[in-house]
Amino acid sequence: MAAKRSAKKPQNKAASRPDSRENLRDQLLLASLPYVETEGFGREALLLGAKDIKMSESRALTLFAGGGVDMVLHFNDWAVREMLQLCPPKLLSRLRVREKITLLVRTYLELLSDYKPVVKQAVVLARPWNLGDGAKELYHVVDAMWRAAGDTSTDYNFYTKRALLAGVVSATTLRWLVDTSDEHEATWAFLDSRIENVMQIEKVKAKLKERFAA
């Protein structure tokens, strides 16, 4: 099925782009990620990454003035942008909604597969004082997915769709983090099951709406 198509591994395209602030942040972030597993998201990993790409310490610290949390937020933003590039409208237009969402979630996680230890370090967003940032970034992910899937709802469905998908993405990410199966097949089976649950909820909602309308 088209929705089970695997994502291609991302390349560090930022290095060949003009030196806009976002692209410089991309370059520095990607250079710092190999050090995050041992150093965590923060100054140490950032400066080691800066050294590798011959960027001054002062410039590096200015680009990520928010420190570790700023790095985590940009890491997530980078993954969302890469996901959308790998799932262009032309590809998604051939799929049903269920297949679109499945492909988007799977592509997002496959993009992060080379960085699983780094994602584990990103639990900094789960700390009480950063819950707001974590919730905002999860919303950013699911909103991007629904918009890419062609969602145009403006009523309560806008919020319920994003809330349901947030649950799917959160649960699937946790399953993916501990998955040791070949090619993460256990995660994709789990994802299919969660998507099926959401589809059943949507069917029930549709029936209830018809009854109330009647």
Side-chain angles (χ1 to χ4, degrees):
M1 185 171 65
K4 292 186 180 297
R5 168 178 166 174
S6 295
K8 297 178 182 178
K9 293 298 182 184
Q11 300 176 342
N12 187 355
K13 297 187 287 290
S16 61
R17 297 171 185 165
D19 290 338
S20 68
R21 188 171 186 277
E22 181 179 80
N23 294 330
L24 285 172
R25 277 162 61 87
D26 284 353
Q27 291 179 45
L28 179 54
L29 174 74
L30 294 174
S32 302
L33 291 181
Y35 301 105
V36 169
E37 183 177 358
T38 55
E39 304 296 335
F41 280 99
R43 180 187 177 94
E44 291 77 10
L46 191 67
L47 295 183
L48 287 169
K51 184 178 180 181
D52 284 353
I53 60 174
K54 297 179 174 55
M55 180 182 289
S56 70
E57 291 188 1
S58 60
R59 185 66 180 278
L61 294 174
T62 298
L63 286 172
F64 286 96
V69 172
D70 194 4
M71 292 173 70
V72 173
L73 297 179
H74 192 73
F75 179 43
N76 187 62
D77 180 66
W78 169 84
V80 169
R81 285 185 278 119
E82 292 290 327
M83 173 193 72
L84 294 177
Q85 286 191 15
L86 289 171
C87 298
K90 186 176 180 179
L91 170 62
L92 294 175
S93 66
R94 308 186 196 121
L95 308 177
R96 296 177 299 173
V97 173
R98 174 178 180 159
E99 294 171 335
K100 292 177 183 179
I101 294 299
T102 301
L103 178 60
L104 286 160
V105 176
R106 178 165 177 165
T107 299
Y108 175 74
L109 290 176
E110 286 183 329
L111 279 163
L112 300 177
S113 291
D114 285 342
Y115 307 107
K116 186 177 283 192
V118 173
V119 176
K120 290 179 179 178
Q121 288 284 354
V123 294
V124 63
L125 286 183
R127 293 175 181 172
W129 53 87
N130 290 322
L131 283 177
D133 288 322
K136 182 171 64 177
E137 285 307 295
L138 179 57
Y139 176 82
H140 176 47
V141 174
V142 299
D143 183 57
M145 289 177 176
W146 272 120
R147 291 182 185 278
D151 178 54
T152 58
S153 61
T154 56
D155 56 6
Y156 75 96
N157 282 316
F158 178 93
Y159 301 100
T160 57
K161 284 180 178 179
R162 282 151 181 76
L164 288 170
L165 185 54
V168 170
V169 172
S170 296
T172 305
T173 300
L174 291 175
R175 181 67 183 88
W176 170 80
L177 281 171
V178 298
D179 188 2
T180 57
S181 64
D182 291 340
E183 302 297 324
H184 293 102
E185 286 302 320
T187 295
W188 312 139
F190 182 87
L191 172 60
D192 288 341
S193 177
R194 298 287 77 75
I195 293 291
E196 175 62 25
N197 290 343
V198 170
M199 292 299 104
Q200 292 302 319
I201 292 173
E202 288 299 310
K203 289 178 182 179
V204 170
K205 283 169 54 182
K207 289 180 179 179
L208 289 174
K209 189 175 182 179
E210 289 177 3
R211 290 181 181 177
F212 280 116

Short mmCIF file of all heavy atoms in Angstrom, two decimals, residues 128-177:
data_model
loop_
_atom_site.label_atom_id
_atom_site.label_comp_id
_atom_site.label_asym_id
_atom_site.label_seq_id
_atom_site.Cartn_x
_atom_site.Cartn_y
_atom_site.Cartn_z
N PRO A 128 8.44 19.68 33.85
CA PRO A 128 7.30 20.56 34.15
C PRO A 128 7.43 21.98 33.63
O PRO A 128 6.46 22.55 33.13
CB PRO A 128 7.24 20.52 35.69
CG PRO A 128 7.80 19.19 36.04
CD PRO A 128 8.91 18.94 35.04
N TRP A 129 8.63 22.57 33.73
CA TRP A 129 8.77 23.97 33.34
C TRP A 129 8.81 24.15 31.82
O TRP A 129 8.81 25.26 31.33
CB TRP A 129 10.01 24.59 33.97
CG TRP A 129 11.29 23.82 33.74
CD1 TRP A 129 12.13 23.94 32.68
CD2 TRP A 129 11.84 22.82 34.60
NE1 TRP A 129 13.19 23.07 32.82
CE2 TRP A 129 13.04 22.37 33.98
CE3 TRP A 129 11.45 22.25 35.82
CZ2 TRP A 129 13.86 21.38 34.55
CZ3 TRP A 129 12.26 21.26 36.38
CH2 TRP A 129 13.44 20.84 35.75
N ASN A 130 8.86 23.03 31.07
CA ASN A 130 8.88 23.14 29.61
C ASN A 130 7.67 22.48 28.96
O ASN A 130 7.66 22.28 27.74
CB ASN A 130 10.16 22.50 29.05
CG ASN A 130 11.40 23.29 29.38
OD1 ASN A 130 11.38 24.51 29.37
ND2 ASN A 130 12.47 22.60 29.71
N LEU A 131 6.65 22.14 29.73
CA LEU A 131 5.48 21.48 29.17
C LEU A 131 4.79 22.32 28.10
O LEU A 131 4.26 21.80 27.12
CB LEU A 131 4.49 21.13 30.28
CG LEU A 131 4.85 19.91 31.14
CD1 LEU A 131 3.82 19.72 32.24
CD2 LEU A 131 4.97 18.66 30.30
N GLY A 132 4.80 23.64 28.29
CA GLY A 132 4.18 24.51 27.30
C GLY A 132 4.86 24.40 25.94
O GLY A 132 4.20 24.31 24.91
N ASP A 133 6.21 24.38 25.95
CA ASP A 133 6.95 24.24 24.70
C ASP A 133 6.69 22.88 24.06
O ASP A 133 6.54 22.77 22.84
CB ASP A 133 8.46 24.41 24.94
CG ASP A 133 8.83 25.85 25.23
OD1 ASP A 133 8.24 26.74 24.61
OD2 ASP A 133 9.71 26.08 26.08
N GLY A 134 6.64 21.84 24.89
CA GLY A 134 6.39 20.50 24.37
C GLY A 134 5.04 20.38 23.71
O GLY A 134 4.90 19.81 22.62
N ALA A 135 4.01 20.94 24.35
CA ALA A 135 2.66 20.90 23.79
C ALA A 135 2.59 21.70 22.50
O ALA A 135 1.94 21.29 21.53
CB ALA A 135 1.66 21.45 24.81
N LYS A 136 3.27 22.83 22.47
CA LYS A 136 3.27 23.67 21.28
C LYS A 136 3.92 22.96 20.10
O LYS A 136 3.44 23.03 18.97
CB LYS A 136 4.00 24.98 21.57
CG LYS A 136 4.00 25.96 20.40
CD LYS A 136 4.55 27.31 20.82
CE LYS A 136 6.00 27.22 21.24
NZ LYS A 136 6.57 28.55 21.59
N GLU A 137 5.02 22.26 20.36
CA GLU A 137 5.71 21.55 19.29
C GLU A 137 4.92 20.35 18.80
O GLU A 137 4.92 20.05 17.61
CB GLU A 137 7.11 21.12 19.75
CG GLU A 137 8.09 22.27 19.82
CD GLU A 137 8.14 23.04 18.51
OE1 GLU A 137 8.56 22.47 17.49
OE2 GLU A 137 7.74 24.22 18.50
N LEU A 138 4.23 19.65 19.71
CA LEU A 138 3.38 18.54 19.28
C LEU A 138 2.25 19.05 18.40
O LEU A 138 1.91 18.45 17.37
CB LEU A 138 2.82 17.80 20.50
CG LEU A 138 1.88 16.62 20.20
CD1 LEU A 138 2.57 15.59 19.32
CD2 LEU A 138 1.40 15.99 21.51
N TYR A 139 1.68 20.18 18.78
CA TYR A 139 0.63 20.79 17.95
C TYR A 139 1.19 21.17 16.58
O TYR A 139 0.52 20.97 15.56
CB TYR A 139 0.06 22.04 18.64
CG TYR A 139 -0.95 22.76 17.76
CD1 TYR A 139 -2.27 22.33 17.71
CD2 TYR A 139 -0.56 23.84 16.97
CE1 TYR A 139 -3.19 22.97 16.88
CE2 TYR A 139 -1.47 24.47 16.14
CZ TYR A 139 -2.78 24.04 16.11
OH TYR A 139 -3.67 24.66 15.27
N HIS A 140 2.41 21.69 16.55
CA HIS A 140 3.05 22.07 15.29
C HIS A 140 3.15 20.86 14.36
O HIS A 140 2.88 20.95 13.16
CB HIS A 140 4.44 22.63 15.58
CG HIS A 140 5.24 22.96 14.36
ND1 HIS A 140 4.74 23.68 13.29
CD2 HIS A 140 6.54 22.66 14.02
CE1 HIS A 140 5.66 23.82 12.36
NE2 HIS A 140 6.75 23.21 12.77
N VAL A 141 3.51 19.71 14.93
CA VAL A 141 3.64 18.47 14.14
C VAL A 141 2.29 18.03 13.58
O VAL A 141 2.15 17.81 12.37
CB VAL A 141 4.25 17.33 14.99
CG1 VAL A 141 4.24 16.02 14.21
CG2 VAL A 141 5.67 17.67 15.41
N VAL A 142 1.29 17.90 14.44
CA VAL A 142 0.01 17.36 13.99
C VAL A 142 -0.75 18.35 13.09
O VAL A 142 -1.45 17.94 12.16
CB VAL A 142 -0.88 16.91 15.17
CG1 VAL A 142 -0.18 15.81 15.97
CG2 VAL A 142 -1.22 18.07 16.09
N ASP A 143 -0.58 19.64 13.35
CA ASP A 143 -1.22 20.63 12.49
C ASP A 143 -0.61 20.58 11.08
O ASP A 143 -1.34 20.64 10.08
CB ASP A 143 -1.04 22.03 13.08
CG ASP A 143 -1.76 23.10 12.26
OD1 ASP A 143 -2.99 22.97 12.06
OD2 ASP A 143 -1.10 24.05 11.81
N ALA A 144 0.71 20.44 11.01
CA ALA A 144 1.38 20.33 9.71
C ALA A 144 0.91 19.08 8.97
O ALA A 144 0.71 19.11 7.75
CB ALA A 144 2.89 20.30 9.90
N MET A 145 0.72 18.00 9.70
CA MET A 145 0.26 16.76 9.08
C MET A 145 -1.14 16.90 8.52
O MET A 145 -1.42 16.50 7.38
CB MET A 145 0.32 15.61 10.09
CG MET A 145 1.72 15.16 10.44
SD MET A 145 1.72 13.86 11.71
CE MET A 145 3.48 13.49 11.80
N TRP A 146 -2.05 17.46 9.32
CA TRP A 146 -3.43 17.61 8.84
C TRP A 146 -3.52 18.58 7.66
O TRP A 146 -4.28 18.35 6.71
CB TRP A 146 -4.35 18.08 9.98
CG TRP A 146 -4.91 16.95 10.78
CD1 TRP A 146 -4.74 16.73 12.12
CD2 TRP A 146 -5.75 15.89 10.31
NE1 TRP A 146 -5.41 15.58 12.50
CE2 TRP A 146 -6.04 15.05 11.41
CE3 TRP A 146 -6.28 15.56 9.05
CZ2 TRP A 146 -6.84 13.92 11.29
CZ3 TRP A 146 -7.07 14.42 8.93
CH2 TRP A 146 -7.34 13.62 10.04
N ARG A 147 -2.75 19.65 7.71
CA ARG A 147 -2.78 20.60 6.59
C ARG A 147 -2.22 19.95 5.33
O ARG A 147 -2.75 20.15 4.22
CB ARG A 147 -2.00 21.86 6.95
CG ARG A 147 -2.67 22.71 8.02
CD ARG A 147 -1.91 23.98 8.33
NE ARG A 147 -2.52 24.71 9.43
CZ ARG A 147 -3.56 25.53 9.31
NH1 ARG A 147 -4.10 25.74 8.11
NH2 ARG A 147 -4.06 26.16 10.37
N ALA A 148 -1.15 19.17 5.48
CA ALA A 148 -0.59 18.46 4.32
C ALA A 148 -1.58 17.46 3.76
O ALA A 148 -1.62 17.20 2.55
CB ALA A 148 0.70 17.75 4.72
N ALA A 149 -2.39 16.88 4.65
CA ALA A 149 -3.40 15.90 4.23
C ALA A 149 -4.61 16.56 3.59
O ALA A 149 -5.52 15.88 3.12
CB ALA A 149 -3.84 15.06 5.42
N GLY A 150 -4.64 17.90 3.58
CA GLY A 150 -5.72 18.63 2.93
C GLY A 150 -6.87 19.00 3.82
O GLY A 150 -7.95 19.38 3.34
N ASP A 151 -6.68 18.96 5.14
CA ASP A 151 -7.77 19.30 6.07
C ASP A 151 -8.11 20.78 5.96
O ASP A 151 -7.24 21.65 6.04
CB ASP A 151 -7.36 18.98 7.50
CG ASP A 151 -8.44 19.37 8.50
OD1 ASP A 151 -9.59 18.94 8.32
OD2 ASP A 151 -8.12 20.12 9.43
N THR A 152 -9.38 21.06 5.77
CA THR A 152 -9.85 22.46 5.67
C THR A 152 -10.91 22.78 6.71
O THR A 152 -11.60 23.78 6.61
CB THR A 152 -10.42 22.73 4.26
OG1 THR A 152 -11.50 21.81 4.01
CG2 THR A 152 -9.35 22.57 3.19
N SER A 153 -11.06 21.92 7.71
CA SER A 153 -12.10 22.13 8.72
C SER A 153 -11.83 23.40 9.51
O SER A 153 -10.68 23.78 9.74
CB SER A 153 -12.17 20.93 9.67
OG SER A 153 -10.94 20.75 10.35
N THR A 154 -12.90 24.05 9.94
CA THR A 154 -12.79 25.27 10.74
C THR A 154 -13.66 25.19 11.99
O THR A 154 -13.58 26.06 12.85
CB THR A 154 -13.21 26.51 9.92
OG1 THR A 154 -14.54 26.31 9.42
CG2 THR A 154 -12.26 26.73 8.75
N ASP A 155 -14.50 24.15 12.09
CA ASP A 155 -15.37 24.01 13.25
C ASP A 155 -14.68 23.19 14.32
O ASP A 155 -13.44 23.10 14.35
CB ASP A 155 -16.70 23.39 12.84
CG ASP A 155 -16.52 22.05 12.14
OD1 ASP A 155 -15.36 21.56 12.08
OD2 ASP A 155 -17.51 21.50 11.65
N TYR A 156 -15.46 22.55 15.19
CA TYR A 156 -14.87 21.77 16.28
C TYR A 156 -14.02 20.61 15.76
O TYR A 156 -13.13 20.11 16.45
CB TYR A 156 -15.98 21.23 17.20
CG TYR A 156 -16.76 20.08 16.62
CD1 TYR A 156 -16.43 18.77 16.93
CD2 TYR A 156 -17.83 20.30 15.75
CE1 TYR A 156 -17.15 17.71 16.40
CE2 TYR A 156 -18.54 19.25 15.21
CZ TYR A 156 -18.20 17.96 15.54
OH TYR A 156 -18.89 16.90 15.00
N ASN A 157 -14.27 20.17 14.52
CA ASN A 157 -13.49 19.09 13.93
C ASN A 157 -12.01 19.46 13.81
O ASN A 157 -11.14 18.59 13.86
CB ASN A 157 -14.03 18.72 12.55
CG ASN A 157 -15.27 17.85 12.63
OD1 ASN A 157 -15.33 16.92 13.42
ND2 ASN A 157 -16.26 18.17 11.82
N PHE A 158 -11.74 20.76 13.63
CA PHE A 158 -10.36 21.23 13.53
C PHE A 158 -9.58 20.83 14.78
O PHE A 158 -8.45 20.34 14.70
CB PHE A 158 -10.35 22.75 13.37
CG PHE A 158 -8.97 23.35 13.30
CD1 PHE A 158 -8.36 23.58 12.08
CD2 PHE A 158 -8.29 23.71 14.46
CE1 PHE A 158 -7.08 24.15 12.02
CE2 PHE A 158 -7.01 24.28 14.41
CZ PHE A 158 -6.42 24.49 13.18
N TYR A 159 -10.20 21.01 15.93
CA TYR A 159 -9.54 20.72 17.20
C TYR A 159 -9.56 19.23 17.54
O TYR A 159 -8.56 18.69 18.05
CB TYR A 159 -10.19 21.54 18.31
CG TYR A 159 -10.12 23.02 18.06
CD1 TYR A 159 -11.22 23.72 17.56
CD2 TYR A 159 -8.94 23.73 18.27
CE1 TYR A 159 -11.15 25.09 17.30
CE2 TYR A 159 -8.86 25.10 18.01
CZ TYR A 159 -9.97 25.76 17.53
OH TYR A 159 -9.89 27.10 17.26
N THR A 160 -10.68 18.57 17.27
CA THR A 160 -10.75 17.15 17.61
C THR A 160 -9.78 16.32 16.76
O THR A 160 -9.16 15.39 17.26
CB THR A 160 -12.18 16.60 17.45
OG1 THR A 160 -12.63 16.83 16.11
CG2 THR A 160 -13.13 17.27 18.42
N LYS A 161 -9.65 16.68 15.49
CA LYS A 161 -8.71 15.96 14.62
C LYS A 161 -7.28 16.09 15.13
O LYS A 161 -6.53 15.12 15.17
CB LYS A 161 -8.80 16.50 13.19
CG LYS A 161 -10.03 16.06 12.42
CD LYS A 161 -10.02 16.65 11.02
CE LYS A 161 -11.21 16.17 10.22
NZ LYS A 161 -11.23 16.75 8.85
N ARG A 162 -6.92 17.28 15.55
CA ARG A 162 -5.56 17.51 16.02
C ARG A 162 -5.34 16.85 17.39
O ARG A 162 -4.24 16.34 17.65
CB ARG A 162 -5.27 19.01 16.06
CG ARG A 162 -4.97 19.54 14.65
CD ARG A 162 -5.32 20.98 14.43
NE ARG A 162 -5.03 21.39 13.06
CZ ARG A 162 -5.80 21.06 12.00
NH1 ARG A 162 -6.90 20.35 12.17
NH2 ARG A 162 -5.47 21.45 10.78
N ALA A 163 -6.34 16.86 18.21
CA ALA A 163 -6.22 16.20 19.52
C ALA A 163 -6.06 14.70 19.35
O ALA A 163 -5.22 14.06 20.01
CB ALA A 163 -7.45 16.52 20.37
N LEU A 164 -6.86 14.10 18.47
CA LEU A 164 -6.77 12.66 18.23
C LEU A 164 -5.41 12.29 17.64
O LEU A 164 -4.79 11.31 18.06
CB LEU A 164 -7.90 12.21 17.30
CG LEU A 164 -9.30 12.20 17.89
CD1 LEU A 164 -10.35 11.98 16.80
CD2 LEU A 164 -9.43 11.12 18.96
N LEU A 165 -4.95 13.07 16.67
CA LEU A 165 -3.67 12.77 16.05
C LEU A 165 -2.51 12.99 17.02
O LEU A 165 -1.51 12.27 16.97
CB LEU A 165 -3.48 13.61 14.78
CG LEU A 165 -2.23 13.31 13.95
CD1 LEU A 165 -2.14 11.82 13.60
CD2 LEU A 165 -2.19 14.16 12.69
N ALA A 166 -2.65 13.96 17.91
CA ALA A 166 -1.61 14.18 18.92
C ALA A 166 -1.44 12.93 19.78
O ALA A 166 -0.32 12.54 20.13
CB ALA A 166 -1.97 15.38 19.79
N GLY A 167 -2.56 12.29 20.12
CA GLY A 167 -2.50 11.05 20.89
C GLY A 167 -1.82 9.95 20.10
O GLY A 167 -1.02 9.18 20.65
N VAL A 168 -2.12 9.86 18.81
CA VAL A 168 -1.51 8.84 17.95
C VAL A 168 0.00 9.07 17.85
O VAL A 168 0.79 8.14 18.01
CB VAL A 168 -2.14 8.87 16.55
CG1 VAL A 168 -1.35 7.98 15.58
CG2 VAL A 168 -3.59 8.41 16.60
N VAL A 169 0.40 10.31 17.57
CA VAL A 169 1.82 10.62 17.40
C VAL A 169 2.58 10.37 18.70
O VAL A 169 3.68 9.78 18.70
CB VAL A 169 2.01 12.07 16.93
CG1 VAL A 169 3.49 12.46 16.94
CG2 VAL A 169 1.45 12.24 15.52
N SER A 170 2.02 10.79 19.82
CA SER A 170 2.69 10.61 21.12
C SER A 170 2.88 9.14 21.45
O SER A 170 3.97 8.69 21.80
CB SER A 170 1.88 11.28 22.23
OG SER A 170 1.81 12.67 22.03
N ALA A 171 1.80 8.36 21.32
CA ALA A 171 1.86 6.94 21.64
C ALA A 171 2.79 6.19 20.70
O ALA A 171 3.57 5.33 21.13
CB ALA A 171 0.46 6.33 21.59
N THR A 172 2.72 6.52 19.42
CA THR A 172 3.56 5.83 18.43
C THR A 172 5.02 6.17 18.62
O THR A 172 5.91 5.32 18.46
CB THR A 172 3.11 6.18 17.00
OG1 THR A 172 1.72 5.90 16.85
CG2 THR A 172 3.89 5.36 15.98
N THR A 173 5.31 7.42 18.99
CA THR A 173 6.70 7.82 19.24
C THR A 173 7.27 7.06 20.43
O THR A 173 8.42 6.59 20.39
CB THR A 173 6.79 9.33 19.49
OG1 THR A 173 6.31 10.03 18.34
CG2 THR A 173 8.23 9.75 19.76
N LEU A 174 6.49 6.90 21.48
CA LEU A 174 6.95 6.14 22.64
C LEU A 174 7.21 4.69 22.28
O LEU A 174 8.18 4.07 22.74
CB LEU A 174 5.92 6.24 23.77
CG LEU A 174 5.77 7.62 24.43
CD1 LEU A 174 4.64 7.60 25.44
CD2 LEU A 174 7.08 8.04 25.10
N ARG A 175 6.33 4.12 21.45
CA ARG A 175 6.53 2.73 20.99
C ARG A 175 7.78 2.64 20.14
O ARG A 175 8.56 1.68 20.26
CB ARG A 175 5.29 2.28 20.18
CG ARG A 175 5.40 0.82 19.68
CD ARG A 175 5.37 -0.13 20.86
NE ARG A 175 5.54 -1.52 20.46
CZ ARG A 175 6.73 -2.12 20.32
NH1 ARG A 175 7.86 -1.44 20.54
NH2 ARG A 175 6.80 -3.39 19.98
N TRP A 176 7.99 3.61 19.28
CA TRP A 176 9.16 3.64 18.40
C TRP A 176 10.47 3.74 19.19
O TRP A 176 11.47 3.12 18.83
CB TRP A 176 8.99 4.82 17.45
CG TRP A 176 10.16 5.18 16.62
CD1 TRP A 176 10.58 4.57 15.46
CD2 TRP A 176 11.07 6.26 16.84
NE1 TRP A 176 11.70 5.21 14.97
CE2 TRP A 176 12.01 6.25 15.79
CE3 TRP A 176 11.17 7.24 17.83
CZ2 TRP A 176 13.05 7.18 15.71
CZ3 TRP A 176 12.19 8.17 17.75
CH2 TRP A 176 13.12 8.13 16.70
N LEU A 177 10.46 4.49 20.26
CA LEU A 177 11.66 4.69 21.06
C LEU A 177 12.18 3.39 21.67
O LEU A 177 13.39 3.24 21.89
CB LEU A 177 11.41 5.72 22.16
CG LEU A 177 11.42 7.18 21.74
CD1 LEU A 177 10.94 8.08 22.88
CD2 LEU A 177 12.81 7.61 21.26
#
